[in-house]
Amino acid sequence: FWLLVIRPPGHFYPAAPFRCRRGVHRFERPAAMAEADVRLTTVSKDGEKLGELIPAGSMRKADGKGALAGKWQIPNVPGAVTLVVSGTSVKSVKCPFGNQPLMGEIEESEDLLGLHITMGGFPMKAWLKQDGGATRLEFSNGGKWTKV
């Protein structure tokens, strides 16, 4: 198809047609690329310092470690995710995130419970909040899970 390149007002001309290389449409992935090509198998601790991200009123590390293990409900998703804590490592029992488990590491240098998370291949941070009687696991991407 033809693309239209916009120039200053009143100056329009058609650009060269988009050419697909080797029969691959511009919105398709080449056959050699697959979802399995890039997978994070470790927890990245890069990025913003957790102490600067964890909001005031979050659970302390001593209380949070015990509350972290168990079943968590993701909003608008059937079933629950079970998290297991072993030392400073956190992992989901099943692999519901792109056939990968949720993996996490508890940050030991903070007083409040902060986690470095890899979920579905994406790194993020998380912390625990207690509202009323509900415990929530909140993620830096805006996700909020509720303890079941």
Side-chain angles (χ1 to χ4, degrees):
F1 65 86
W2 286 85
L3 295 175
L4 190 61
V5 176
I6 300 174
R7 292 286 177 192
H11 300 288
F12 299 98
Y13 65 90
F18 179 83
R19 303 216 188 268
C20 298
R21 62 183 175 137
R22 295 189 211 141
V24 176
H25 187 272
R26 67 183 182 136
F27 295 116
E28 294 177 1
R29 291 182 180 174
M33 185 177 207
E35 289 181 26
D37 288 346
V38 177
R39 289 194 186 255
L40 290 179
T41 56
T42 60
V43 177
S44 171
K45 293 185 177 184
D46 295 341
E48 190 73 29
K49 188 172 183 278
L50 262 171
E52 296 174 13
L53 289 176
I54 302 171
S58 295
M59 289 181 85
R60 299 188 63 74
K61 188 171 28 182
D63 302 328
K65 279 186 177 182
L68 192 56
K71 292 184 184 261
W72 293 87
Q73 182 63 51
I74 305 171
N76 303 317
V77 176
V81 175
T82 303
L83 298 181
V84 176
V85 179
S86 176
T88 61
S89 295
V90 180
K91 193 171 183 179
S92 63
V93 173
K94 294 185 179 178
C95 300
F97 309 104
N99 292 324
Q100 296 180 43
L102 174 141
M103 299 177 290
E105 287 291 328
I106 296 171
E107 178 61 52
E108 290 293 322
S109 67
E110 301 294 331
D111 290 333
L112 300 175
L113 181 77
L115 299 146
H116 300 278
I117 298 284
T118 298
M119 180 168 44
F122 295 98
M124 60 188 79
K125 310 294 185 196
W127 49 87
L128 285 176
K129 297 259 317 192
Q130 198 145 26
D131 243 353
T135 303
R136 284 193 329 260
L137 180 58
E138 298 186 357
F139 295 90
S140 57
N141 70 351
K144 295 178 182 180
W145 297 4
T146 307
K147 182 82 181 258
V148 181

